[in-house]
Amino acid sequence: MNSNKSEYPTETFSAVKWNAGMLTLLDQRKLPGEIIYLNYDSASAVAAAIKEMIVRGAPAIGIAAAYAVVLAARSAWQENADCWREAIEADLMNLAAARPTAVNLHWAIAEMRQVFAIIEGEPEPFLLERAKQIHADDIAANHEMGRLGAELIVPDSQVITHCNAGALATGGYGTALGVIRTAFNQGRIKRVFASETRPWFQGARLTSWELQQDHIPVNLVIDSAIASLMENRKIAWLIVGSDRIAANGDVANKIGTYSHAVSAYYHGIKVMVVAPSSTIDMQIESGANIPIENRSAEEITEFNTIRIAPNDIEAINPAFDITPAKLVDVIVTEKGIVRSPNVEKMLAMFG
Ligand code: MRU
């Protein structure tokens, strides 16, 4: 996938934009009630925005980090043109530490490092070109995955998705929602069930909103309704994104994906994971080695800053879980589809 500019129609909204020499992020904490764009001109501020979930979703985090490297290099060059490479290291480490599970963040920083290893003179134009390319490639990958994934879905299907793997979580169009968008346009999907995704409600706030805007019929359900939905409605696929896929095909994704996949297995419903190759981590042998982000207890002991749990309760709040490869029917990437993933098949495609 190698496109300098997007060949696809402009998205109705963009989670990540480069605008007038600054990074602009759509504040996803405020959606769907308010549409607020925030501007960033420093890498440390972008790292904070990633931590605070202003931008979220593995590919979108990676793209934001790539633009943040441009900002870091600009300020280091302006301060001392002789040692800008050394000067930006602290910024790069800060960015890489912002969220541990999404490998796209580390992938994007590594891609940007490859550029600054070979350039001479002012770094910004070269780095910006690469960051824009990473962004455009992600959109193109989403459209390709949309095409490949949709082919697997028979007409008039009903599907379930979890969290938000849409335009908001990517450079545009979406991974899981990219497949859903394409399949809906082709008459293959007639209804989507979106699970709310506690505790950040990406399903309720973001996925429902994205699908509504595209006039794709969607029902919002609570996370714990999924098994009963699978029992009582005709569901063809569970379609989700991923934050990192290990070399054996184990999938890290938003907490709750694993239990949805177990329910799908029990009910004979197929599981499709849609992710660009930048989400594949062939250095990690299995899901057991994927770092899982633990977030603050307040995210579950409080609701909209109102305490709902007893004061001294110890809460555990992992943001992601691992769905073992044996529960996954297909991994759809822009490079192709891996069916019933295992280490041999993953190696054959991603070597
Ligand atoms: O905590 P989030 O909102 O960043 O989690 C996002 C997810 O788990 C998505 O499913 C994943 O990043 C894939 S997005 C294309």
Side-chain angles (χ1 to χ4, degrees):
M1 204 56 54
N2 197 20
S3 55
N4 277 315
K5 58 181 175 46
S6 173
E7 315 139 41
Y8 306 105
T10 317
E11 306 295 335
T12 45
F13 54 86
S14 255
V16 183
K17 287 193 252 192
W18 184 260
N19 194 16
M22 279 193 283
L23 177 63
T24 302
L25 299 175
L26 175 57
D27 188 347
Q28 299 197 31
R29 300 166 310 175
K30 301 278 196 278
L31 289 172
E34 292 172 89
I35 299 187
I36 296 174
Y37 286 95
L38 302 170
N39 294 324
Y40 294 85
D41 63 1
S42 82
S44 57
V46 177
I50 293 172
K51 261 192 203 119
E52 290 160 17
M53 311 268 287
I54 288 166
V55 59
R56 36 66 51 200
I61 292 170
I63 295 162
Y67 286 124
V69 175
V70 179
L71 297 171
R74 177 198 289 165
S75 92
W77 172 266
Q78 281 167 357
E79 245 166 61
N80 186 346
D82 291 332
C83 57
W84 67 268
R85 284 184 182 80
E86 295 76 10
I88 67 173
E89 276 310 315
D91 271 333
L92 299 194
M93 283 169 68
N94 188 28
L95 276 169
R99 291 194 76 190
T101 306
V103 74
N104 309 59
L105 175 60
H106 306 273
W107 173 87
I109 294 170
E111 289 290 310
M112 298 301 281
R113 272 186 192 283
Q114 282 188 18
V115 178
F116 61 71
I118 54 169
I119 55 178
E120 279 172 31
E122 189 184 352
E124 179 165 345
F126 300 99
L127 292 171
L128 183 57
E129 190 187 340
R130 183 68 191 116
K132 285 184 170 172
Q133 183 79 61
I134 287 172
H135 194 167
D137 285 352
D138 185 66
I139 298 171
N142 288 337
H143 283 269
E144 180 61 5
M145 291 186 286
R147 188 184 71 76
L148 292 171
E151 281 175 4
L152 305 175
I153 301 170
V154 299
D156 279 340
S157 291
Q158 305 197 108
V159 302
I160 291 171
T161 191
H162 185 56
C163 193
N164 172 265
L168 290 166
T170 62
Y173 201 63
T175 57
L177 291 197
V179 169
I180 287 171
R181 285 191 161 98
T182 305
F184 176 74
N185 289 335
Q186 295 174 350
R188 295 172 190 265
I189 286 180
K190 65 174 184 191
R191 178 160 299 274
V192 180
F193 297 94
S195 43
E196 61 175 353
T197 319
R198 277 194 56 79
W200 269 82
F201 297 103
Q202 290 93 331
R205 295 188 304 105
L206 310 178
T207 295
S208 308
W209 183 69
E210 273 201 52
L211 294 178
Q212 249 189 2
Q213 302 215 356
D214 278 4
H215 307 287
I216 299 175
V218 54
N219 288 111
L220 177 63
V221 295
I222 60 171
D223 296 336
S224 43
I226 288 300
S228 121
L229 206 70
M230 287 177 174
E231 174 68 24
N232 296 315
R233 307 270 183 143
K234 208 167 167 264
I235 306 291
W237 286 91
L238 167 66
I239 307 179
V240 293
S242 173
D243 286 77
R244 193 185 298 226
I245 301 176
N248 69 346
D250 287 353
V251 170
N253 193 44
K254 179 53 57 192
I255 190 77
T257 304
Y258 178 31
S259 55
H260 283 19
V262 169
S263 296
Y265 181 77
Y266 179 81
H267 291 97
I269 290 165
K270 286 179 283 183
V271 176
M272 182 188 301
V273 176
V274 190
S277 52
S278 55
T279 302
I280 312 284
D281 188 352
M282 293 302 284
Q283 309 300 317
I284 294 245
E285 208 178 311
S286 78
N289 307 108
I290 296 178
I292 297 292
E293 176 182 7
N294 283 297
R295 294 186 63 90
S296 78
E298 286 71 33
E299 288 184 358
I300 51 177
T301 56
E302 294 177 2
F303 187 77
N304 269 350
T305 71
I306 297 168
R307 187 86 191 173
I308 53 168
N311 281 333
D312 51 357
I313 197 76
E314 274 185 37
I316 302 169
N317 184 18
F320 300 95
D321 59 25
I322 304 294
T323 299
K326 65 178 174 220
L327 295 181
V328 176
D329 290 277
V330 289
I331 296 176
V332 177
T333 76
E334 81 282 11
K335 294 191 171 172
I337 297 173
V338 182
R339 291 164 202 269
S340 307
N342 61 26
V343 69
E344 290 77 24
K345 292 179 189 174
M346 292 293 288
L347 265 174
M349 190 157 305
F350 306 108

